[in-house]
Amino acid sequence: MSAPTLSRQSYPRSFRSGNDPYPTRLARTPDLPWLHRREAVVKGDAGQGPLSADQLERFERQGFLFEPGFLNAGEVAALRREMSSLMNTPSFRGRPFTITEPDSREIRSLFAVHFLSRRFRQLAEDPRLIGRARQILGGEPYVHQSRINYKPGFKGKGFNWHSDFETWHAEDGMPAMHAVSASIVLTNNHMFNGPLMLIPGSHKVFVPCFGETPENHHEQSLKRQEIGVPGEAVLAELIRRHGIKAPTGAAGGLLLFDCNTLHGSNANMSPDPRSNVFFVYNRRDNRCRAPFAARRRRPEFLAHHPDREWTPGL
């Protein structure tokens, strides 16, 4: 299939009124598979931050960059102790910001960790991360979302292919592709414990998804996502063109990936748990507004304001 020439007029209007450059959650399957990305991928250059010209070129081309050994063993050990403390805090159990596996009470994700923990806040504000985010985004970043992902041995379930930007655009009101995710591996990450898989090059196109956003969709989608998932034919074509990559390595590695890179993961088929801490950096002038394809924005523990604190009591 050759690259299509796409027109927004080929798509029905999104839930939000007005001209939406990335319509999604459509009432019918779109006639064309994807829209070309409008924004540049890398907005800064090698002179503006810690990433080299070669690293920026790889991020531009692939939509992600893996840096082994980003944190040293001592830093990783301290973060793992903090992660264990947070995930075993009794008052966090059963709260909306604590997400369990779809078929058990095992914790899958703990959100807003840079507000729950001083140590994780220090990491979110670490110049090594902020510098990389600022360099890629070409502007001042803030933390749009933070979380710990935990995939226990044998029990941790996978996650469907998706673009984070599709969700943040549809349900949080993120206007444009000016966000980057930073995932730091806190346990050894290998092919059998459900590592993150990415489709390199998929960040250059936006894939509209079928099906309107249900009320309180986040309550289901954070456990098992079915709305906001690209169709199999589109996925098959993008994978045929670009393949699948699954960066693996020792604890302490950093994976940076563009907000629109399609990614997913398999279940953990090994006895080894897989965990990571995850920060989403959005450019301040790209702060979220009204959602483009949902009746109301998701709760603030999922989509932070740049100048507002969050506490578990909210």
Side-chain angles (χ1 to χ4, degrees):
M1 183 170 65
S2 60
T5 302
L6 300 168
S7 167
R8 291 193 306 280
Q9 283 71 34
S10 302
Y11 296 87
R13 180 171 292 183
S14 296
F15 186 91
R16 179 177 172 180
S17 61
N19 185 26
D20 179 3
Y22 298 114
T24 190
R25 310 294 172 94
L26 306 178
R28 63 176 178 85
T29 303
D31 299 327
L32 296 170
W34 54 66
L35 295 164
H36 292 296
R37 177 189 183 119
R38 290 185 163 198
E39 298 82 11
V41 177
V42 174
K43 290 88 174 178
D45 59 47
Q48 297 174 312
L51 296 174
S52 68
D54 178 68
Q55 288 174 312
L56 290 174
E57 189 279 329
R58 278 186 281 149
F59 188 92
E60 170 78 31
R61 174 169 38 87
Q62 296 186 137
F64 66 90
L65 178 70
F66 185 64
E67 295 185 69
F70 177 74
L71 297 182
N72 63 42
E75 292 173 303
V76 170
L79 291 172
R80 288 179 66 173
R81 288 193 296 270
E82 185 73 357
M83 177 184 71
S84 179
S85 175
L86 289 175
M87 295 185 68
N88 288 288
T89 300
S91 61
F92 292 169
R93 285 275 177 179
R95 302 295 295 277
F97 56 86
T98 304
I99 311 300
T100 56
E101 291 285 353
D103 303 317
S104 74
R105 289 182 55 80
E106 291 273 3
I107 291 178
R108 178 186 182 99
S109 298
L110 184 66
F111 283 85
V113 292
H114 73 297
F115 288 119
L116 299 175
S117 160
R118 180 178 298 176
R119 185 175 293 277
F120 281 116
R121 183 163 194 156
Q122 290 172 340
L123 180 60
E125 296 172 351
D126 191 306
R128 292 173 293 178
L129 285 178
I130 294 292
R132 284 163 167 78
R134 186 184 294 116
Q135 189 177 14
I136 290 170
L137 300 179
E140 196 61 30
Y142 73 95
V143 178
H144 167 73
Q145 184 185 103
S146 70
R147 67 180 183 264
I148 290 169
N149 288 333
Y150 184 74
K151 194 176 285 190
F154 295 130
K155 297 178 182 178
K157 300 297 189 293
F159 217 77
N160 282 334
W161 289 108
H162 65 286
S163 154
D164 285 333
F165 175 75
E166 192 277 341
T167 297
W168 301 333
H169 184 71
E171 300 187 45
D172 296 337
M174 184 178 288
M177 295 180 188
H178 298 312
V180 61
S181 295
S183 173
I184 299 175
V185 180
L186 298 181
T187 52
N188 293 343
N189 200 5
H190 56 74
M191 293 303 297
F192 307 110
N193 64 349
L196 194 72
M197 302 182 297
L198 307 102
I199 303 176
S202 61
H203 61 304
K204 297 292 185 71
V205 298
F206 177 78
V207 180
C209 296
F210 172 75
E212 293 187 1
T213 308
E215 286 291 314
N216 299 317
H217 180 234
H218 67 279
E219 295 177 0
Q220 172 60 36
S221 65
L222 296 176
K223 293 174 179 281
R224 180 184 289 117
Q225 187 169 5
E226 296 174 349
I227 302 295
V229 175
E232 290 184 359
V234 178
L235 285 170
E237 177 59 23
L238 288 170
I239 292 169
R240 185 191 69 79
R241 294 183 181 202
H242 304 295
I244 298 173
K245 297 289 186 182
T248 57
L254 169 66
L255 176 65
L256 295 167
F257 61 100
D258 182 83
C259 61
N260 191 47
T261 303
L262 288 169
H263 61 285
S265 66
N266 287 322
N268 187 348
M269 301 299 288
S270 81
D272 305 323
R274 171 186 171 261
S275 61
N276 67 302
V277 59
F278 188 96
F279 302 111
V280 178
Y281 295 100
N282 187 28
R283 211 167 69 182
R284 291 185 71 89
D285 62 359
N286 194 47
R287 68 187 64 188
C288 295
R289 297 149 195 175
F292 285 82
R295 288 177 172 81
R296 60 181 61 88
R297 288 180 61 176
R298 298 189 301 173
E300 197 167 332
F301 69 84
L302 294 172
H304 301 300
H305 294 268
D307 300 308
R308 186 184 302 172
E309 294 287 312
W310 177 89
T311 68
L314 291 178

